[in-house]
Amino acid sequence: MRIASLGLVASLAFGMQLAPLAAADQSAVDYIKQRYADGPEPGAKARYSPRIQALWAACDLKEVASGDPCMDFDIWVNAQDWEIKDLKIEQIKADDNSAHVLASFSNMDRKESISFDLLREPQGRVVDEISTGCDTLSGVLEGKPSTAC
């Protein structure tokens, strides 16, 4: 207890920040990195833009009506199953309100590159598009067929 108290005093005395960054201040790379660590699957705790939320809602309604799944794979890994290795995340471009991030990794010995378009909202980063090179999140949610890869 005494050691923890001394650490707190030292942190305050030297102006160190103890609290994590606010969600709105989180870098695009850190946001995507955290989403790949989500459980039970990558992207499980992702926040989406209002545009993507509306597409999800419409797709969910179609799923209920038809009985067919809205999405039959995880677009964050471009597969139904995954074992991610060698995850590398890099920011390709960014400005004050948006960022384009590329996640590259091996999934069961298959190389994948997934790109993300992120927006900065008051609550933090939100995903506005995901692209696998064959599919986009918005396209899948709208029922568009995959392109040949």
Side-chain angles (χ1 to χ4, degrees):
M1 179 70 162
R2 182 173 170 85
I3 292 172
S5 297
L6 290 174
L8 176 61
V9 171
S11 295
L12 294 173
F14 293 104
M16 293 180 189
Q17 184 177 356
L18 295 177
L21 290 174
D25 297 329
Q26 185 177 36
S27 78
V29 169
D30 286 344
Y31 179 74
I32 294 299
K33 192 178 294 185
Q34 279 188 333
R35 299 297 60 88
Y36 272 94
D38 284 349
E41 61 195 35
K45 297 178 184 173
R47 294 182 304 267
Y48 293 95
S49 67
R51 179 181 77 88
I52 294 294
Q53 289 178 25
L55 291 173
W56 269 116
C59 195
D60 286 343
L61 289 175
K62 289 179 198 171
E63 182 175 311
V64 169
S66 70
D68 294 328
C70 182
M71 185 177 291
D72 63 355
F73 70 106
D74 186 331
I75 199 161
W76 285 73
V77 296
N78 196 27
Q80 291 180 337
D81 300 309
W82 62 90
E83 185 179 317
I84 296 175
K85 295 178 185 171
D86 305 319
L87 178 63
K88 178 182 175 192
I89 301 171
E90 61 183 315
Q91 183 169 289
I92 305 302
K93 64 180 179 177
D95 59 33
D96 290 343
N97 299 314
S98 64
H100 183 77
V101 174
L102 181 67
S104 304
F105 52 89
S106 294
N107 181 21
M108 298 187 175
D109 299 322
R110 190 173 93 189
K111 299 286 185 193
E112 292 288 351
S113 292
I114 312 291
S115 64
F116 298 86
D117 290 332
L118 303 171
L119 302 175
R120 185 187 302 267
E121 299 276 326
Q123 75 271 22
R125 300 285 180 174
V126 296
V127 176
D128 190 53
E129 190 64 273
I130 301 174
S131 177
T132 66
C134 300
D135 293 293
T136 61
L137 176 57
S138 60
V140 172
L141 294 175
E142 292 171 338
K144 293 180 181 173
S146 297
T147 59
C149 294

